[in-house]
Short mmCIF file of all heavy atoms in Angstrom, two decimals:
data_model
loop_
_atom_site.label_atom_id
_atom_site.label_comp_id
_atom_site.label_asym_id
_atom_site.label_seq_id
_atom_site.Cartn_x
_atom_site.Cartn_y
_atom_site.Cartn_z
N THR W 20 100.04 91.06 114.98
CA THR W 20 100.04 90.11 116.10
C THR W 20 100.49 88.72 115.68
O THR W 20 101.02 87.96 116.49
CB THR W 20 98.63 90.01 116.70
OG1 THR W 20 97.70 89.67 115.65
CG2 THR W 20 98.20 91.32 117.35
N ASN W 21 100.22 88.34 114.42
CA ASN W 21 100.52 86.98 113.93
C ASN W 21 99.99 85.92 114.88
O ASN W 21 100.64 84.90 115.14
CB ASN W 21 102.03 86.80 113.74
CG ASN W 21 102.58 87.54 112.55
OD1 ASN W 21 101.84 87.94 111.66
ND2 ASN W 21 103.88 87.76 112.53
N HIS W 22 98.77 86.13 115.35
CA HIS W 22 98.23 85.23 116.38
C HIS W 22 97.72 83.90 115.82
O HIS W 22 97.54 82.95 116.58
CB HIS W 22 97.14 85.92 117.19
CG HIS W 22 96.00 86.44 116.35
ND1 HIS W 22 96.03 87.67 115.73
CD2 HIS W 22 94.80 85.90 116.04
CE1 HIS W 22 94.91 87.86 115.08
NE2 HIS W 22 94.14 86.80 115.24
N CYS W 23 97.48 83.85 114.51
CA CYS W 23 97.08 82.58 113.88
C CYS W 23 97.66 82.53 112.47
O CYS W 23 97.80 83.55 111.80
CB CYS W 23 95.56 82.45 113.79
SG CYS W 23 94.74 81.97 115.32
N SER W 24 97.95 81.32 111.99
CA SER W 24 98.49 81.17 110.64
C SER W 24 97.42 81.30 109.58
O SER W 24 97.72 81.64 108.44
CB SER W 24 99.21 79.82 110.51
OG SER W 24 98.35 78.76 110.88
N SER W 25 96.17 81.03 109.92
CA SER W 25 95.02 81.32 109.07
C SER W 25 95.13 80.81 107.65
O SER W 25 95.08 81.58 106.69
CB SER W 25 94.79 82.84 109.03
OG SER W 25 93.61 83.16 108.34
N PRO W 26 95.24 79.50 107.43
CA PRO W 26 95.29 78.99 106.06
C PRO W 26 93.91 79.02 105.41
O PRO W 26 92.89 79.15 106.08
CB PRO W 26 95.76 77.55 106.26
CG PRO W 26 95.20 77.18 107.61
CD PRO W 26 95.31 78.43 108.43
N TYR W 27 93.90 78.92 104.10
CA TYR W 27 92.67 78.78 103.33
C TYR W 27 92.62 77.35 102.79
O TYR W 27 93.17 77.06 101.72
CB TYR W 27 92.67 79.73 102.14
CG TYR W 27 92.07 81.10 102.36
CD1 TYR W 27 92.06 82.01 101.31
CD2 TYR W 27 91.51 81.48 103.57
CE1 TYR W 27 91.51 83.27 101.46
CE2 TYR W 27 90.97 82.74 103.73
CZ TYR W 27 90.97 83.64 102.67
OH TYR W 27 90.43 84.89 102.82
N PRO W 28 91.97 76.41 103.47
CA PRO W 28 91.82 75.07 102.90
C PRO W 28 91.01 75.14 101.60
O PRO W 28 89.98 75.82 101.55
CB PRO W 28 91.04 74.31 103.99
CG PRO W 28 91.22 75.11 105.23
CD PRO W 28 91.34 76.53 104.80
N LEU W 29 91.48 74.46 100.58
CA LEU W 29 90.74 74.33 99.32
C LEU W 29 90.03 72.99 99.37
O LEU W 29 90.67 71.94 99.24
CB LEU W 29 91.68 74.41 98.12
CG LEU W 29 91.04 74.27 96.75
CD1 LEU W 29 90.04 75.40 96.48
CD2 LEU W 29 92.08 74.24 95.65
N VAL W 30 88.72 73.01 99.58
CA VAL W 30 87.97 71.78 99.80
C VAL W 30 87.02 71.49 98.65
O VAL W 30 86.51 72.40 97.99
CB VAL W 30 87.19 71.82 101.12
CG1 VAL W 30 88.12 71.97 102.31
CG2 VAL W 30 86.15 72.93 101.12
N CYS W 31 86.80 70.20 98.46
CA CYS W 31 85.80 69.74 97.50
C CYS W 31 84.99 68.64 98.18
O CYS W 31 85.28 68.24 99.31
CB CYS W 31 86.45 69.21 96.23
SG CYS W 31 87.42 67.70 96.47
N SER W 32 84.00 68.17 97.49
CA SER W 32 83.23 67.03 97.97
C SER W 32 84.02 65.74 97.73
O SER W 32 84.52 65.52 96.63
CB SER W 32 81.89 66.96 97.25
OG SER W 32 81.32 65.67 97.32
N GLN W 33 84.10 64.90 98.75
CA GLN W 33 84.78 63.62 98.58
C GLN W 33 84.09 62.79 97.51
O GLN W 33 84.74 62.10 96.71
CB GLN W 33 84.79 62.86 99.91
CG GLN W 33 85.49 61.51 99.86
CD GLN W 33 86.98 61.64 99.68
OE1 GLN W 33 87.67 62.20 100.52
NE2 GLN W 33 87.52 61.11 98.58
N GLU W 34 82.78 62.90 97.45
CA GLU W 34 82.03 62.13 96.45
C GLU W 34 82.36 62.60 95.04
O GLU W 34 82.51 61.79 94.12
CB GLU W 34 80.52 62.27 96.71
CG GLU W 34 79.67 61.45 95.76
CD GLU W 34 78.20 61.47 96.12
OE1 GLU W 34 77.87 61.90 97.24
OE2 GLU W 34 77.39 61.04 95.28
N TRP W 35 82.46 63.92 94.86
CA TRP W 35 82.83 64.44 93.54
C TRP W 35 84.22 63.98 93.15
O TRP W 35 84.44 63.54 92.02
CB TRP W 35 82.78 65.98 93.54
CG TRP W 35 83.29 66.56 92.25
CD1 TRP W 35 82.59 66.71 91.08
CD2 TRP W 35 84.61 67.03 91.99
NE1 TRP W 35 83.40 67.25 90.10
CE2 TRP W 35 84.65 67.46 90.63
CE3 TRP W 35 85.77 67.15 92.76
CZ2 TRP W 35 85.79 68.00 90.04
CZ3 TRP W 35 86.92 67.69 92.18
CH2 TRP W 35 86.93 68.10 90.83
N LEU W 36 85.16 64.04 94.09
CA LEU W 36 86.53 63.63 93.81
C LEU W 36 86.56 62.16 93.41
O LEU W 36 87.26 61.77 92.46
CB LEU W 36 87.41 63.88 95.03
CG LEU W 36 88.92 63.80 94.82
CD1 LEU W 36 89.39 64.89 93.86
CD2 LEU W 36 89.64 63.93 96.16
N ASP W 37 85.81 61.33 94.12
CA ASP W 37 85.78 59.90 93.82
C ASP W 37 85.11 59.61 92.48
O ASP W 37 85.34 58.55 91.89
CB ASP W 37 85.03 59.15 94.93
CG ASP W 37 85.80 59.15 96.25
OD1 ASP W 37 87.01 59.43 96.24
OD2 ASP W 37 85.16 58.89 97.30
N SER W 38 84.27 60.53 92.00
CA SER W 38 83.55 60.29 90.74
C SER W 38 84.44 60.47 89.52
O SER W 38 84.09 60.03 88.42
CB SER W 38 82.35 61.25 90.63
OG SER W 38 82.78 62.57 90.29
N LEU W 39 85.59 61.10 89.69
CA LEU W 39 86.48 61.37 88.56
C LEU W 39 87.23 60.11 88.13
O LEU W 39 87.48 59.22 88.95
CB LEU W 39 87.51 62.44 88.94
CG LEU W 39 86.97 63.82 89.33
CD1 LEU W 39 88.10 64.69 89.87
CD2 LEU W 39 86.28 64.50 88.15
N SER W 40 87.59 60.06 86.89
CA SER W 40 88.46 58.98 86.43
C SER W 40 89.83 59.17 87.08
O SER W 40 90.18 60.28 87.52
CB SER W 40 88.61 59.02 84.91
OG SER W 40 89.34 60.17 84.50
N ASP W 41 90.62 58.12 87.14
CA ASP W 41 91.94 58.22 87.75
C ASP W 41 92.80 59.27 87.06
O ASP W 41 93.50 60.06 87.70
CB ASP W 41 92.65 56.86 87.70
CG ASP W 41 92.01 55.83 88.62
OD1 ASP W 41 91.23 56.23 89.51
OD2 ASP W 41 92.30 54.63 88.45
N ALA W 42 92.74 59.30 85.73
CA ALA W 42 93.56 60.23 84.98
C ALA W 42 93.15 61.68 85.23
O ALA W 42 93.99 62.56 85.43
CB ALA W 42 93.48 59.92 83.48
N ASP W 43 91.82 61.92 85.22
CA ASP W 43 91.35 63.29 85.47
C ASP W 43 91.65 63.73 86.89
O ASP W 43 92.04 64.88 87.13
CB ASP W 43 89.85 63.38 85.20
CG ASP W 43 89.52 63.40 83.72
OD1 ASP W 43 90.44 63.62 82.91
OD2 ASP W 43 88.33 63.20 83.37
N ARG W 44 91.46 62.81 87.83
CA ARG W 44 91.73 63.15 89.23
C ARG W 44 93.20 63.53 89.41
O ARG W 44 93.52 64.53 90.07
CB ARG W 44 91.37 61.99 90.15
CG ARG W 44 91.47 62.34 91.65
CD ARG W 44 91.23 61.12 92.53
NE ARG W 44 90.00 60.45 92.17
CZ ARG W 44 89.93 59.25 91.62
NH1 ARG W 44 91.07 58.58 91.35
NH2 ARG W 44 88.78 58.70 91.33
N GLU W 45 94.08 62.75 88.83
CA GLU W 45 95.51 63.03 88.96
C GLU W 45 95.87 64.37 88.32
O GLU W 45 96.63 65.15 88.90
CB GLU W 45 96.31 61.91 88.29
CG GLU W 45 97.83 62.08 88.40
CD GLU W 45 98.60 60.94 87.77
OE1 GLU W 45 97.97 59.95 87.33
OE2 GLU W 45 99.85 61.04 87.71
N LEU W 46 95.32 64.64 87.16
CA LEU W 46 95.61 65.90 86.47
C LEU W 46 95.11 67.09 87.26
O LEU W 46 95.81 68.09 87.44
CB LEU W 46 94.96 65.90 85.08
CG LEU W 46 95.10 67.19 84.27
CD1 LEU W 46 96.57 67.45 83.93
CD2 LEU W 46 94.25 67.12 83.00
N ILE W 47 93.88 67.01 87.75
CA ILE W 47 93.28 68.13 88.49
C ILE W 47 94.02 68.38 89.79
O ILE W 47 94.34 69.53 90.13
CB ILE W 47 91.78 67.85 88.75
CG1 ILE W 47 91.00 67.91 87.42
CG2 ILE W 47 91.21 68.85 89.75
CD1 ILE W 47 89.58 67.40 87.53
N ILE W 48 94.33 67.33 90.53
CA ILE W 48 95.03 67.49 91.80
C ILE W 48 96.43 68.05 91.58
O ILE W 48 96.88 68.94 92.33
CB ILE W 48 95.08 66.15 92.57
CG1 ILE W 48 93.67 65.81 93.09
CG2 ILE W 48 96.07 66.22 93.73
CD1 ILE W 48 93.59 64.48 93.81
N ASP W 49 97.12 67.57 90.55
CA ASP W 49 98.45 68.10 90.25
C ASP W 49 98.37 69.59 89.91
O ASP W 49 99.20 70.40 90.36
CB ASP W 49 99.08 67.33 89.10
CG ASP W 49 100.44 67.89 88.72
OD1 ASP W 49 101.38 67.79 89.54
OD2 ASP W 49 100.58 68.44 87.61
N GLY W 50 97.36 69.96 89.12
CA GLY W 50 97.19 71.36 88.78
C GLY W 50 96.91 72.22 90.00
O GLY W 50 97.42 73.34 90.13
N ILE W 51 96.11 71.70 90.91
CA ILE W 51 95.79 72.45 92.13
C ILE W 51 97.02 72.61 93.00
O ILE W 51 97.24 73.68 93.60
CB ILE W 51 94.64 71.75 92.89
CG1 ILE W 51 93.33 71.96 92.12
CG2 ILE W 51 94.52 72.27 94.32
CD1 ILE W 51 92.16 71.19 92.67
N HIS W 52 97.84 71.58 93.11
CA HIS W 52 99.09 71.71 93.89
C HIS W 52 99.99 72.80 93.30
O HIS W 52 100.59 73.60 94.05
CB HIS W 52 99.83 70.38 93.92
CG HIS W 52 99.20 69.34 94.79
ND1 HIS W 52 98.51 69.65 95.95
CD2 HIS W 52 99.17 67.97 94.70
CE1 HIS W 52 98.07 68.53 96.51
NE2 HIS W 52 98.46 67.51 95.77
N GLN W 53 100.08 72.85 91.97
CA GLN W 53 100.88 73.89 91.34
C GLN W 53 100.28 75.28 91.60
O GLN W 53 101.00 76.24 91.90
CB GLN W 53 100.97 73.65 89.84
CG GLN W 53 101.77 72.41 89.44
CD GLN W 53 101.93 72.32 87.94
OE1 GLN W 53 102.38 73.27 87.29
NE2 GLN W 53 101.53 71.19 87.37
N MET W 54 98.98 75.36 91.48
CA MET W 54 98.27 76.62 91.72
C MET W 54 98.53 77.13 93.13
O MET W 54 98.87 78.30 93.35
CB MET W 54 96.77 76.39 91.52
CG MET W 54 95.85 77.41 92.18
SD MET W 54 94.14 76.79 92.27
CE MET W 54 93.42 77.96 93.40
#
């Protein structure tokens, strides 16, 4: 039927994301985009 596109959002806590150093955040997010 293809009635919905049905994505899987990959979510985290905004607080956890903000707790990371800039370098770690950038590395992790880049890795997730590649994944």
Side-chain angles (χ1 to χ4, degrees):
T20 55
N21 287 342
H22 57 275
C23 281
S24 54
S25 186
Y27 269 180
L29 179 62
V30 299
C31 67
S32 160
Q33 181 69 62
E34 183 173 347
W35 174 82
L36 193 64
D37 291 343
S38 76
L39 299 172
S40 68
D41 291 344
D43 284 346
R44 187 185 308 112
E45 182 178 354
L46 176 65
I47 291 169
I48 289 178
D49 178 67
I51 288 173
H52 287 327
Q53 292 186 54
M54 160 196 167

